[in-house]
Amino acid sequence: MTSLLDSVRYSTLASYSWEQPRLLLLMPLVPLLFVVRWILARRRRSRLGVAFVAGQLPRDWSTLLRFVPDVMLALSLCFGIVALARPQRTDERVVQTGEGIDILLVVDVSGSMELQDLRPNRLEAAKRVAREFIDGRQGDRIGLVVFAGDAYSLAPLTTDYDLLRDDLQSLRLGMIPNDGTAIGTALGVATNRLRDSRSRTKVCILISDGENTAGSLDPLTSAQLAHAYGLKLYTIGLGQDGIVPYGTDAAGRPRYVDTRLDETTMRQLAQAGEGRFFRATDNAGLRQIFSQINRYEKSEIKQTRYRNTQDYYRTYLFWCVGLWLLWLALKNTFLTNALED
């Protein structure tokens, strides 16, 4: 009985999806049928021009009971329309199968990343595009290594992309006190992080804007060691060569510095890691590079959707038939004016 009463609640009706929703448009026609019947009955009714009583007949609330059969019939028709519209609820379950890949982002946070040939500066541009890259991955474990004069693993390999975005957003210039560009050390930390991975594909993406000026580990040796552990290495060189803007002086005038990327070493690192070298001189170029890497390194993740659809029309069909039988029963009682029908 409780389930029957719950079925007529507004919240229950609103929770359904409908197989034939257009049939619900027939609902306003139900009261119209009774109006048409009343008009036709009024036209056919015979009238006597004789007044049996003087004045008006007294009115009583019990006279409204004669409308109860019509109300039962109207409700029966409405529930019949609801049943025909096929109320349903669908439970959808998604099961992922397959194997993702392990990706490690190695980001330079040295002082030269403050240069403004990329907007607003090199580091912020790299963070923005790396975040977009993370948004485009699914089912892959991604980690984060940062370096300047030293290198640290900031985020382990994880599928918690929200946590990874927060770690990426926290990157700032000067977060590593020892300034410089220790590319070899950074690749060594990345190798230590990925060497025990059981993934079939292990990818390291190195983002830097300078040449190796710190650390005791040779970059090329680090790249070869990484390749020995099965890492594929992509290197991205940031910025333009030559005179580029670098903040403002005390008088508010723009400052410029001369900068140059060691492109030869970056190419050698990518070649040793069987990856590719990319050069990004502006924001659009950096975004395009990450889009290319995203296309190259695809994980084989398959999604299987299970849909379980349950019909609820039987409940409303029960209401329809029950009220119809009640209407037939009431037709044979004092509630119905036999002369009108």
Side-chain angles (χ1 to χ4, degrees):
M1 185 64 182
T2 304
S3 61
L4 284 176
L5 294 178
D6 287 339
S7 66
V8 297
R9 296 179 186 272
Y10 173 79
S11 58
T12 302
L13 293 169
S15 67
Y16 293 133
S17 58
W18 304 86
E19 180 72 20
Q20 302 290 339
R22 294 183 180 180
L23 290 178
L24 296 176
L25 298 176
L26 297 175
M27 203 80 73
L29 298 180
V30 173
L32 185 61
L33 291 176
F34 290 91
V35 174
V36 172
R37 191 188 71 165
W38 178 80
I39 293 174
L40 294 176
R42 185 178 178 85
R43 288 183 177 180
R44 296 179 192 171
R45 185 180 303 161
S46 300
R47 301 191 181 200
L48 295 176
V50 177
F52 293 100
V53 295
Q56 294 184 346
L57 291 174
R59 296 184 179 272
D60 188 73
W61 66 268
S62 60
T63 59
L64 298 176
L65 294 177
R66 61 190 298 272
F67 295 106
V68 171
D70 286 344
V71 172
M72 295 299 105
L73 178 59
L75 289 175
S76 174
L77 293 175
C78 288
F79 282 119
I81 292 173
V82 171
L84 288 174
R86 296 283 297 277
Q88 299 174 340
R89 287 198 184 103
T90 300
D91 178 26
E92 186 174 44
R93 184 165 51 96
V94 179
V95 177
Q96 288 188 345
T97 57
E99 183 182 6
I101 63 179
D102 286 348
I103 302 173
L104 205 57
L105 298 175
V106 183
V107 183
D108 188 349
V109 293
S110 62
S112 59
M113 292 290 283
E114 192 177 359
L115 299 183
Q116 297 169 343
D117 45 355
L118 277 74
R119 297 296 181 181
N121 59 44
R122 292 176 177 179
L123 179 59
E124 291 301 321
K127 287 166 54 176
R128 185 183 302 121
V129 179
R131 189 163 53 246
E132 294 173 2
F133 174 77
I134 293 171
D135 293 339
R137 308 302 298 186
Q138 186 176 13
D140 300 324
R141 295 196 307 168
I142 303 177
L144 182 62
V145 170
V146 295
F147 71 97
D150 298 309
Y152 300 97
S153 177
L154 187 63
L157 292 168
T158 180
T159 55
D160 187 349
Y161 295 160
D162 289 333
L163 176 63
L164 192 61
R165 292 186 194 97
D166 291 340
D167 288 334
L168 191 64
Q169 187 62 34
S170 69
L171 299 187
R172 66 186 187 280
L173 298 166
M175 65 183 299
I176 298 178
N178 184 18
D179 201 16
T181 308
I183 296 177
T185 304
L187 290 178
V189 173
T191 302
N192 284 332
R193 178 62 68 183
L194 283 172
R195 65 179 182 177
D196 295 328
S197 169
R198 296 182 179 179
S199 174
R200 63 176 182 83
T201 303
K202 295 175 281 190
V203 176
C204 178
I205 303 175
L206 172 69
I207 307 170
S208 181
D209 67 344
E211 58 182 350
N212 189 69
T213 58
S216 58
L217 194 57
D218 177 64
L220 188 55
T221 302
S222 295
Q224 292 168 346
L225 181 63
H227 179 256
Y229 280 104
L231 275 67
K232 182 184 289 187
L233 180 59
Y234 291 97
T235 59
I236 301 176
L238 291 182
Q240 304 171 7
D241 288 335
I243 306 299
V244 297
Y246 177 52
T248 57
D249 58 18
R253 293 172 299 189
R255 293 184 301 178
Y256 295 90
V257 296
D258 189 9
T259 182
R260 192 163 302 278
L261 173 72
D262 186 2
E263 185 171 317
T264 302
T265 299
M266 296 287 277
R267 287 186 181 276
Q268 289 175 346
L269 296 179
Q271 186 176 4
E274 291 191 356
R276 287 192 59 183
F277 165 74
F278 300 94
R279 183 71 184 266
T281 58
D282 55 27
N283 295 51
L286 180 60
R287 183 171 284 106
Q288 186 177 6
I289 288 168
F290 268 97
S291 297
Q292 285 184 271
I293 297 175
N294 194 35
R295 288 195 299 269
Y296 292 153
E297 301 298 335
K298 286 293 185 182
S299 53
E300 295 181 359
I301 302 296
K302 297 180 181 178
Q303 287 188 346
T304 304
R305 296 181 180 271
Y306 297 92
R307 294 174 61 91
N308 180 28
T309 301
Q310 185 174 357
D311 275 306
Y312 290 88
Y313 73 90
R314 292 182 182 85
T315 303
Y316 299 97
L317 190 59
F318 176 85
W319 276 109
C320 174
V321 174
L323 291 173
W324 182 275
L325 294 175
L326 180 60
W327 172 71
L328 290 177
L330 292 176
K331 288 278 289 181
N332 298 314
T333 66
F334 70 94
L335 296 178
T336 302
N337 187 342
L339 293 177
E340 278 194 350
D341 297 328

